[in-house]
């Protein structure tokens, strides 16, 4: 996980970028923001606190990484931080060109130069690109000049108070952001991304159209991809190839996979197959599916690598082993497959579950 404990802001450029589909236009500022010490502290927390996941990307272009426009802007800024203001204007224009879907909200774009960022134990500078789209209402208290009582010992005062409603940015809620770390330049730098809106339209235009990202092939990527491929194999492929595979069997196989990744520091394809899958014919089927998965998705899945704990935590959320029985019951399977029996009698299909204690 990146560490920003000692990070500080060097420069902030602020622009307004609207929706191109509705001809909202964009407004560029001519000078960087002037930051007080208090404002710098608030902005550092606002910009950097959301970046907690070790899921990294590279700036990418099909022809060559240097053709990626954000890559060009960041390379220029890293070479000369004083050019951030001019480069940020080009970034604003590029964001506007990417905002072609009618549902994309306009907002404030902030391009920031950070120093003293730490990634994998190494200290480096970084460029941040942030967009604020959602405004929240807040109340501001106004009053006229207090008139203090002049009676001895009386510290009361009188004033007329009023409340005003204002719209502003909540510094605890970052809508969209990207941190481009000044490392691995030849591979497209290392990029960490936040997109709090979680809409498919936003994901495409922010990550793909605007930034031009491809997931970085590291231990997080390898772990996530392996667990994702195995889940698809168990839930989609296995029941088609082998008769009699029940939902309980699938739940058991997913649980064993999850436990393997939680209990080991390194992944080894052979040991994984022997410990998790066990049956030779199912192992052969998985290895064939794994090869096919790589070819169809144009990816490489190494046979051994270090396991990412954060990727396991995230992917395990999708590994919930639930057997849904009509609309009446859900059985959550967490442990021993031998404690569940499946059958059928004159009343219909049933599961028999053994347990020691009820809570």
């Amino acid at each position: 996980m990146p560490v920003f404990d000692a990070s500080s802001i060097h420069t902030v450029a602020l622009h307004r970028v609207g929706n191109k589909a509705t001809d909202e236009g964009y407004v560029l500022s001519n000078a960087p923001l002037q930051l007080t010490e208090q404002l710098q502290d608030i902005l550092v927390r606002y910009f950097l606190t959301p970046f907690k996941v070790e899921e990294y990307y590279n700036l990418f272009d099909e022809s060559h990484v240097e053709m990626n426009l954000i890559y060009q802007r960041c390379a220029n800024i890293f070479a000369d931080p004083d050019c951030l203001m001019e480069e940020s204007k080009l970034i604003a224009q590029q964001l506007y060109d990417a905002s072609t879907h009618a549902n994309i909200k306009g907002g404030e774009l902030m391009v920031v130069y950070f120093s003293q960022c730490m990634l994998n134990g190494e200290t480096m500078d970084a460029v941040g690109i942030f967009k604020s789209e959602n405004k929240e209402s807040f109340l501001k208290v106004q009053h006229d000049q207090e008139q203090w009582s002049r009676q001895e010992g009386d510290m009361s005062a009188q004033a007329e108070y009023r409340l005003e409603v204002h719209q502003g940015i909540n510094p605890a809620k970052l809508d969209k952001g990207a941190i481009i770390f000044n490392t691995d330049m030849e591979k497209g730098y290392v990029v960490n991304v936040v997109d709090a809106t979680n809409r498919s339209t936003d994901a495409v235009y922010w990550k793909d159209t605007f930034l031009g990202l491809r997931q970085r092939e590291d231990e997080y990527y390898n772990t996530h991809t392996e667990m994702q491929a195995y889940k698809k194999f168990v839930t989609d492929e296995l029941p088609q190839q082998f008769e009699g595979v029940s939902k309980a069997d699938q739940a058991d196989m997913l649980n064993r996979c999850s436990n393997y990744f939680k209990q080991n520091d390194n992944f080894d394809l052979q040991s994984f197959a022997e410990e998790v899958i066990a049956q030779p014919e199912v192992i052969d089927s998985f290895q064939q599916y794994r090869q096919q998965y790589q070819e169809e998705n144009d990816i490489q899945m190494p046979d051994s690598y270090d396991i990412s704990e954060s990727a396991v935590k995230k992917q395990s959320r999708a590994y919930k082993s639930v057997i849904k029985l009509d609309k009446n019951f859900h059985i959550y399977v967490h442990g021993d497959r031998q404690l569940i029996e499946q059958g059928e009698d004159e009343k219909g299909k049933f599961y028999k579950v053994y347990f020691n204690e009820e809570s």
Side-chain angles (χ1 to χ4, degrees):
M1 188 168 65
V3 179
F4 301 111
D5 293 346
S7 300
S8 61
I9 295 174
H10 180 273
T11 311
V12 180
L14 173 62
H15 309 290
R16 169 76 188 181
V17 178
N19 186 303
K20 188 174 184 179
T22 55
D23 295 324
E24 289 182 351
Y26 55 92
V27 181
L28 304 178
S29 60
N30 292 319
L33 295 179
Q34 299 298 313
L35 302 181
T36 63
E37 183 176 348
Q38 181 185 29
L39 183 55
Q40 168 137 188
D41 290 341
I42 292 173
L43 288 179
V44 165
R45 291 195 299 272
Y46 171 59
F47 291 141
L48 300 180
T49 301
F51 292 87
K52 299 177 180 179
V53 178
E54 295 181 62
E55 183 174 6
Y56 298 109
Y57 296 81
N58 296 124
L59 297 169
F60 173 75
D61 186 87
E62 290 288 349
S63 56
H64 195 278
V65 65
E66 293 182 355
M67 299 300 295
N68 180 296
L69 297 179
I70 296 297
Y71 177 92
Q72 296 174 18
R73 306 282 77 82
C74 290
N76 292 339
I77 294 170
F78 286 132
D80 179 13
D82 291 335
C83 76
L84 179 138
M85 197 67 214
E86 292 306 312
E87 294 294 334
S88 72
K89 296 178 182 179
L90 298 176
I91 293 174
Q93 293 171 18
Q94 184 176 335
L95 178 60
Y96 184 68
D97 289 338
S99 303
T100 56
H101 194 283
N103 292 338
I104 294 173
K105 295 181 180 180
E108 284 71 36
L109 171 73
M110 285 172 272
V111 182
V112 186
Y113 193 87
F114 296 100
S115 59
Q116 297 295 305
C117 300
M118 183 171 289
L119 183 66
N120 297 327
E122 180 182 355
T123 301
M124 64 195 70
D125 293 347
V127 171
I129 302 175
F130 310 94
K131 187 185 178 190
S132 173
E133 297 176 338
N134 297 301
K135 302 296 186 294
E136 295 189 7
S137 299
F138 66 92
L139 298 175
K140 184 175 182 179
V141 179
Q142 299 279 28
H143 59 81
D144 58 15
Q145 185 68 35
E146 295 98 337
Q147 297 179 359
W148 292 92
S149 172
R150 295 184 179 276
Q151 297 180 15
E152 185 176 355
D154 187 354
M155 295 302 296
S156 65
Q158 295 184 356
E160 290 188 7
Y161 284 87
R162 59 188 181 276
L163 289 176
E164 296 180 355
V165 179
H166 293 263
Q167 296 286 318
I169 299 170
N170 186 339
K173 295 181 180 180
L174 178 66
D175 292 327
K176 288 179 172 61
I179 303 288
I180 298 95
F181 295 92
N182 190 12
T183 185
D184 283 355
M185 178 180 181
E186 69 283 355
K187 296 180 180 179
Y189 297 109
V190 176
V191 185
N192 205 338
V193 180
V194 165
D195 188 349
T197 51
N198 288 325
R199 295 193 300 265
S200 59
T201 299
D202 288 353
V204 170
Y205 105 88
W206 182 251
K207 287 185 178 181
D208 299 341
T209 309
F210 171 55
L211 294 170
L213 298 178
R214 181 174 65 178
Q215 194 164 1
R216 186 171 183 254
E217 296 183 7
D218 54 15
E219 61 185 43
Y220 185 101
Y221 173 85
N222 292 331
T223 304
H224 175 86
T225 304
E226 194 79 51
M227 295 185 72
Q228 189 175 56
Y230 182 77
K231 184 187 177 187
K232 287 181 177 293
F233 169 74
V234 171
T235 57
D236 299 338
E237 189 73 12
L238 197 63
Q240 297 181 26
Q241 293 197 18
F242 300 93
E243 294 184 4
V245 177
S246 67
K247 292 291 185 180
D249 296 326
Q250 292 174 299
D252 180 54
M253 293 184 70
L254 290 177
N255 282 332
R256 280 187 278 153
C257 173
S258 182
N259 290 334
Y260 176 92
F261 278 94
K262 290 176 181 178
Q263 296 169 4
N264 290 278
D265 296 327
N266 308 96
F267 174 87
D268 177 76
L269 181 58
Q270 182 176 348
S271 68
F272 173 81
E274 293 173 351
E275 294 177 27
V276 175
I277 303 175
Q279 296 173 275
E281 65 275 16
V282 182
I283 291 175
D284 291 340
S285 176
F286 172 65
Q287 291 177 338
Q288 292 175 17
Y289 178 84
R290 191 174 184 268
Q291 183 60 41
Q292 178 183 340
Y293 187 87
Q294 294 178 75
E295 294 172 358
E296 290 179 351
N297 292 279
D298 192 25
I299 59 175
Q300 295 292 324
M301 297 169 61
D303 291 347
S304 62
Y305 50 83
D306 292 335
I307 291 175
S308 166
E309 183 179 349
S310 58
V312 173
K313 288 181 179 179
K314 183 176 181 180
Q315 192 64 22
S316 291
R317 300 186 194 120
Y319 263 57
K320 291 181 179 179
S321 302
V322 183
I323 303 173
K324 298 180 180 180
L325 308 177
D326 300 327
K327 295 182 179 180
N328 298 316
F329 306 102
H330 287 177
I331 300 177
Y332 290 80
V333 184
H334 303 290
D336 191 350
R337 168 67 178 87
Q338 304 303 316
L339 298 178
I340 302 177
E341 292 182 7
Q342 185 178 10
E344 187 173 359
D345 59 20
E346 66 279 1
K347 293 183 179 180
K349 299 176 182 178
F350 65 84
Y351 277 97
K352 185 184 292 185
V353 181
Y354 295 91
F355 64 94
N356 293 319
E357 296 180 3
E358 182 179 3
S359 61

